[in-house]
Amino acid sequence: MENTIESENENQYIPGVCNIGKEEITARKKSLYISLALFVVDIIVLELLHANHWWGITVFVLAASFAVSFQQVYFKFCVNFGIRGVFNFGDLGKTFTSEQKEYYQKDRAKALKMIVTGITFGIVIAVIYYFM
């Protein structure tokens, strides 16, 4: 019975909770894998080149990107859509506007929280890398 409820909730807009459907989630998963691959390659290249630790800023950017991408897949919530007050549960590229101001505020708050979490993760990983 729980799976049915979860399936129904996966395909509907819930302000501040879920603003993307299956096709958008699939696109976010691709971004997640790409950001993870770039992060790993960046660390390997920096180590192989014995780059100055100040190049760790690239580690920050890629770790933050990975964290935001991960959250978008996990929460089924697009940060960009949340900031703009739109959602999509259909074909890629089509969006619908959140009509109510309260919905927009919830979406924006969720998006900002995800951005702050991503930046915090990026900082922590960059600091760890810097002191390695």
Side-chain angles (χ1 to χ4, degrees):
M1 184 98 173
E2 270 184 48
N3 290 340
T4 306
I5 293 170
E6 287 178 20
S7 297
E8 291 172 7
N9 286 343
E10 281 183 16
N11 223 12
Q12 72 182 43
Y13 172 62
I14 303 170
V17 176
C18 179
N19 69 358
I20 54 176
K22 291 177 185 177
E23 289 187 35
E24 292 286 353
I25 292 167
T26 300
R28 299 314 177 284
K29 283 181 182 177
K30 289 177 185 175
S31 295
L32 173 65
Y33 299 140
I34 290 169
S35 64
L36 178 60
L38 289 173
F39 174 73
V40 170
V41 167
D42 185 48
I43 296 289
I44 292 169
V45 168
L46 290 174
E47 289 303 309
L48 287 176
L49 296 177
H50 303 289
N52 183 312
H53 278 291
W54 288 107
W55 280 99
I57 192 72
T58 61
V59 173
F60 160 73
V61 171
L62 293 170
S65 173
F66 169 76
V68 171
S69 294
F70 177 83
Q71 291 178 87
Q72 289 183 116
V73 171
Y74 183 81
F75 292 120
K76 299 171 182 71
F77 191 92
C78 174
V79 169
N80 180 21
F81 286 4
I83 294 292
R84 292 178 24 219
V86 299
F87 59 94
N88 180 19
F89 288 89
D91 296 332
L92 285 177
K94 294 183 179 180
T95 58
F96 303 91
T97 304
S98 303
E99 297 292 329
Q100 297 183 9
K101 185 177 180 179
E102 177 184 337
Y103 291 177
Y104 173 70
Q105 289 172 339
K106 286 181 180 182
D107 286 349
R108 189 170 172 87
K110 173 76 169 192
L112 292 174
K113 182 177 179 182
M114 289 169 66
I115 291 168
V116 168
T117 301
I119 289 171
T120 302
F121 180 81
I123 290 170
V124 168
I125 296 301
V127 168
I128 290 170
Y129 176 75
Y130 181 80
F131 287 109
M132 282 180 40

